[in-house]
Amino acid sequence: MLIKTYGSAVQGVNAYTITVEVSVSAGTKYFLVGLPDNAVKESEQRIEAALKQHGYKIPRQKIVINMAPADIRKEGAAYDLTLAMGILAASGQIAPDKVSQYMIMGELSLDGSLRPIKGVLPIAIQARKEGFKGFILPAQNAQEAAIVNNLDVIGVINILEALEFLDGKRDIEPVVIDTRDIFNSTVDQYAADFADVQGQENIKRGLEIAAAGGHNLIMIGPPGAGKTMLAKRLPSILPPLSMHEALETTKIHSVAGKLGEASSLLTTRPYRAPHHTISDVALVGGGSNPQPGEISLSHNGVLFLDELPEFKRTVLEVMRQPLEERRVTISRAKTTIDFPANFMLVASMNPCPCGYYNHPDKECVCGPGVVQRYLNKVSGPLLDRIDLHVEVTPVTFDEMTATRKAEDSTSVRERVVRARKVQSERFKEMPQIHSNAMMPSQMVKELCQINEAGRTLLKTAMERLGLSARAYDRILKVSRTIADLADSPDIKIEHLAEAIQYRSLDREGWAG
């Protein structure tokens, strides 16, 4: 008897349906073909032990299983349940009628219980697209799959529940969640708030401009000045996620297995802060079966690189292209995969190895040329891609003990959202551009017009600071964002002057 069951393989952030054909005939061998990896081949032992626990068995006959299409590599233990249901139906131990109506995925334990799997959301989306009645999967993943409507999500705790459901001996209610309700009730709930930060008004202003225009930012200052604390609060002033962005972000985290058990929709912007020992593959993604890296996990959110000069140079250089293109392409001999990577880069660094160069009170103990060598660890092309350089100075005792309450994230976010609305209107004819930071050079010339006084100011700044053409574009983009925050249709000279002062690392004084 030939039976077909259906599973799914995830490549990048998309899923592809895998047809599992099971034939049971006279003989004694067990054959598994169709490019399975070792984890899939080992499923026979897991399935046999799990079935034995519940009074079922793998028949002692010739079993041939083909996983099609054969040119897609099948990896991991998530096909255990798919194969087991196919074997039981093909050997007549359960009724075959319902088996082909459901997408079936799950990793088996030896006692028959099911372990959670990765990539559930893209699999559920594909199952609905291809017209499956439902999706049978581990109960721990059911909330995540239930984000997709018009699909019966059947969460099962063990293999017995799954086979009794398919055999018509047990009714299991599909898991239903109100995605809109979850989204509306939890969107923008952040633990950290700008109100917790005393003083540092100039840095908060820099972060507000960065959030309003989607600009990359670097903070330079001594240890303990509050760089990390401020970066952690940046997602709380970004515009709320739209439903489309929330689904896109959840999809990436689902593929990477970062959602956790009983999770559903991600409703807050991601904040990722990898350690400086990270490898370039872990940052941009990759591996033999390409997985998203930190830059994709921070898609629609913030990637924070603390102590930027301590990162390996190769790691920082691989970020240059994704920063421009807002996606990363991972090429292998057999496949090419695109991962989205539209993130805001926020970096922090000490001004020198001892941390006290340009400090108002403490003296720098670094020798001649040491500061320059330290700054040179971060390449010029990468710094050019960072729009705002913000100097962080330590908070004074008076500011720290002040009783005046600092402005909270909600108030700042309202201004940011207003500025983003102006930009949405500006770029409504260009769906691929959402913020000022994404403007290409040609558009900067059209939309960032400055008057004669502004041109003179910018020319003087360019000559004195020795800025590159890319830095020129960055200044104009930032001044356009500052004008949007001020609700000004034109870029005025004060907007331009503020944008120029956010190029600290280009100033000669820093190279001392």
Side-chain angles (χ1 to χ4, degrees):
M1 190 173 179
L2 177 67
I3 289 290
K4 290 183 182 179
T5 57
Y6 297 92
S8 193
V10 177
Q11 288 191 340
V13 290
N14 298 312
Y16 301 90
T17 298
I18 301 296
T19 305
V20 177
E21 301 168 326
V22 185
S23 169
V24 176
S25 56
T28 55
K29 287 249 183 175
Y30 179 95
F31 297 98
L32 180 57
V33 296
L35 207 61
D37 74 347
N38 283 336
V40 181
K41 287 174 186 170
E42 290 163 356
S43 63
E44 184 187 358
Q45 283 72 33
R46 289 192 295 272
I47 292 168
E48 188 165 29
L51 290 177
K52 200 177 283 183
Q53 291 286 328
H54 299 289
Y56 292 82
K57 63 180 191 299
I58 291 182
R60 292 290 169 251
Q61 292 172 275
K62 182 182 177 184
I63 299 172
V64 180
I65 302 173
N66 177 42
M67 304 180 79
D71 61 337
I72 294 177
R73 186 164 177 79
K74 292 84 190 173
E75 297 186 324
Y79 298 101
D80 290 356
L81 196 60
T82 327
L83 299 171
M85 293 302 115
I87 292 167
L88 289 171
S91 60
Q93 295 179 70
I94 63 170
D97 314 342
K98 290 165 77 174
V99 169
S100 60
Q101 297 174 18
Y102 289 85
M103 180 75 71
I104 305 169
M105 294 289 282
E107 178 184 342
L108 282 171
S109 296
L110 297 186
D111 63 358
S113 60
L114 286 168
R115 298 176 187 276
I117 59 173
K118 295 199 292 190
V120 164
L121 183 56
I123 295 171
I125 291 167
Q126 188 65 18
R128 182 182 64 180
K129 190 193 283 185
E130 296 197 9
F132 283 94
K133 184 170 188 245
F135 184 8
I136 298 171
L137 76 168
Q140 300 97 312
N141 296 119
Q143 294 281 329
E144 183 186 335
I147 293 170
V148 180
N149 55 13
N150 301 327
L151 184 75
D152 289 351
V153 175
I154 310 297
V156 290
I157 294 166
N158 55 40
I159 191 171
L160 183 65
E161 286 189 5
L163 61 87
E164 285 185 349
F165 172 77
L166 289 171
D167 207 17
K169 294 176 183 173
R170 181 193 291 253
D171 283 331
I172 300 175
E173 281 297 310
V175 176
V176 179
I177 62 168
D178 187 337
T179 313
R180 288 273 166 201
D181 185 50
I182 288 175
F183 181 73
N184 293 331
S185 62
T186 59
V187 72
D188 257 20
Q189 288 187 359
Y190 296 94
D193 195 282
F194 261 32
D196 310 331
V197 184
Q198 293 285 11
Q200 304 292 32
E201 298 306 324
N202 60 322
I203 299 101
K204 288 181 189 172
R205 170 67 176 169
L207 290 172
E208 183 182 333
I209 294 166
H215 301 288
N216 302 321
L217 171 139
I218 185 167
M219 292 180 277
I220 317 106
K227 302 186 290 292
T228 308
M229 182 175 71
L230 284 155
K232 265 186 191 159
R233 283 155 177 75
L234 179 58
S236 70
I237 64 165
L238 288 170
L241 281 171
S242 65
M243 180 60 96
H244 173 71
E245 286 176 325
L247 281 166
E248 200 175 35
T249 309
T250 307
K251 208 171 167 185
I252 296 166
H253 284 249
S254 171
V255 168
K258 303 282 185 190
L259 276 184
E261 292 184 15
S263 303
S264 55
L265 199 65
L266 285 178
T267 54
T268 54
R269 292 192 179 271
Y271 171 83
R272 306 289 299 182
H275 192 256
H276 63 255
T277 53
I278 192 171
S279 68
D280 42 3
V281 171
L283 188 73
V284 297
S288 54
N289 174 31
Q291 290 287 298
E294 289 291 339
I295 62 172
S296 294
L297 291 169
S298 52
H299 178 63
N300 290 326
V302 174
L303 176 69
F304 178 53
L305 302 184
D306 202 2
E307 303 302 341
L308 191 68
E310 302 303 328
F311 283 79
K312 290 195 285 288
R313 195 173 183 103
T314 53
V315 171
L316 297 179
E317 295 309 297
V318 294
M319 272 201 314
R320 280 159 53 178
Q321 191 179 3
L323 277 169
E324 291 287 321
E325 297 188 0
R326 304 197 179 257
R327 64 185 171 84
V328 60
T329 303
I330 296 165
S331 298
R332 294 290 176 267
K334 291 186 177 177
T335 184
T336 299
I337 290 170
D338 273 1
F339 285 116
N342 183 13
F343 61 95
M344 265 183 72
L345 174 65
V346 178
S348 78
M349 62 182 284
N350 292 336
C352 66
C354 80
Y356 296 109
Y357 182 71
N358 273 359
H359 193 283
D361 305 318
K362 297 189 181 178
E363 199 167 322
C364 173
V365 295
C366 300
V370 172
V371 176
Q372 183 62 60
R373 275 200 303 278
Y374 188 72
L375 293 176
N376 284 347
K377 285 186 179 181
V378 183
S379 71
L382 180 65
L383 276 179
D384 271 351
R385 285 168 169 81
I386 297 175
D387 304 351
L388 295 136
H389 307 163
V390 180
E391 288 182 62
V392 183
T393 50
V395 183
T396 63
F397 180 79
D398 289 343
E399 285 177 320
M400 222 180 308
T401 54
T403 51
R404 184 175 62 87
K405 189 137 177 71
E407 189 176 31
D408 63 11
S409 291
T410 308
S411 310
V412 181
R413 193 193 310 124
E414 283 169 6
R415 294 197 295 269
V416 168
V417 168
R418 276 202 301 275
R420 287 282 181 120
K421 277 183 181 162
V422 172
Q423 292 164 54
S424 297
E425 187 61 31
R426 181 179 297 138
F427 304 124
K428 65 182 176 186
E429 305 295 328
M430 290 149 280
Q432 73 282 10
I433 297 174
H434 311 293
S435 63
N436 289 336
M438 298 171 81
M439 283 191 284
S441 296
Q442 189 55 43
M443 200 176 286
V444 172
K445 288 189 179 75
E446 293 169 23
L447 298 176
C448 301
Q449 300 280 344
I450 50 176
N451 60 22
E452 196 56 47
R455 265 194 290 277
T456 306
L457 174 68
L458 195 48
K459 183 185 177 194
T460 308
M462 292 282 294
E463 287 169 355
R464 282 183 52 195
L465 303 178
L467 302 181
S468 68
R470 188 181 276 114
Y472 169 79
D473 275 0
R474 302 283 170 197
I475 289 170
L476 287 178
K477 286 180 188 180
V478 171
S479 57
R480 178 66 268 169
T481 300
I482 295 168
D484 290 343
L485 277 168
D487 209 15
S488 165
D490 301 316
I491 297 173
K492 298 179 179 168
I493 196 159
E494 60 266 29
H495 306 146
L496 205 53
E498 188 177 356
I500 291 167
Q501 63 132 352
Y502 291 122
R503 301 299 302 179
S504 298
L505 291 176
D506 297 320
R507 291 210 294 269
E508 287 172 21
W510 271 98

